[in-house]
Amino acid sequence: MKQWYASKRGACAEQYAKQYLIDKGLYFVAENYRVKVGEIDLIFKDHEQWVFVEVKYRENNTHGSAAEMFTTGKRRKLTRAIMCYLQSHDLNFHHTHMRIDLFAIDGDEVNWIKNV
């Protein structure tokens, strides 16, 4: 039951982030892109730049903030998933204008960190 509740909260956080970024002018491309090596929560375009967004949610920060949950290991998995996504869309990882953003939600506080 607890895992179901956590996944529902995570999905709500992703939907909130998606709408927030659309409202800020980003063009929505895809969500929950999954491959064996990792997952991309949200994919946007910001003019000609691809934006890959990791969404982290924490109800409170007693065990660390949402931003602190974006670890080196998670970044490595995300980067591998991005490489797969770009390859599947005939885009070169080294020649594609892109960035990774972190959308961290701590309770009611929203922090959109560009180009982490």
Side-chain angles (χ1 to χ4, degrees), residues 26-41:
L26 275 68
Y27 175 77
F28 174 72
V29 176
E31 61 190 321
N32 298 320
Y33 176 80
R34 289 183 177 94
V35 287
K36 269 187 180 181
V37 295
E39 175 188 359
I40 306 168
D41 292 334

Side-chain angles (χ1 to χ4, degrees), residues 16 57-59 105-110:
Y16 178 82
Y57 170 81
R58 301 293 280 185
E59 192 169 324
I105 305 170
D106 289 291
D108 293 333
E109 185 180 322
V110 172

Side-chain angles (χ1 to χ4, degrees), residues 35-53:
V35 287
K36 269 187 180 181
V37 295
E39 175 188 359
I40 306 168
D41 292 334
L42 300 169
I43 303 169
F44 288 91
K45 291 278 302 253
D46 188 2
H47 301 285
E48 294 302 313
Q49 185 176 48
W50 288 90
V51 181
F52 299 96
V53 181

Side-chain angles (χ1 to χ4, degrees), residues 50 82-93 95-96:
W50 288 90
I82 290 169
M83 292 168 104
C84 291
Y85 179 84
L86 293 174
Q87 183 179 11
S88 71
H89 289 80
D90 295 322
L91 297 166
N92 184 299
F93 181 78
H95 299 291
T96 300

Side-chain angles (χ1 to χ4, degrees), residues 2-14 57-59:
K2 192 173 185 177
Q3 184 179 15
W4 174 86
Y5 181 68
S7 68
K8 281 291 194 190
R9 283 190 325 226
C12 288
E14 286 179 12
Y57 170 81
R58 301 293 280 185
E59 192 169 324

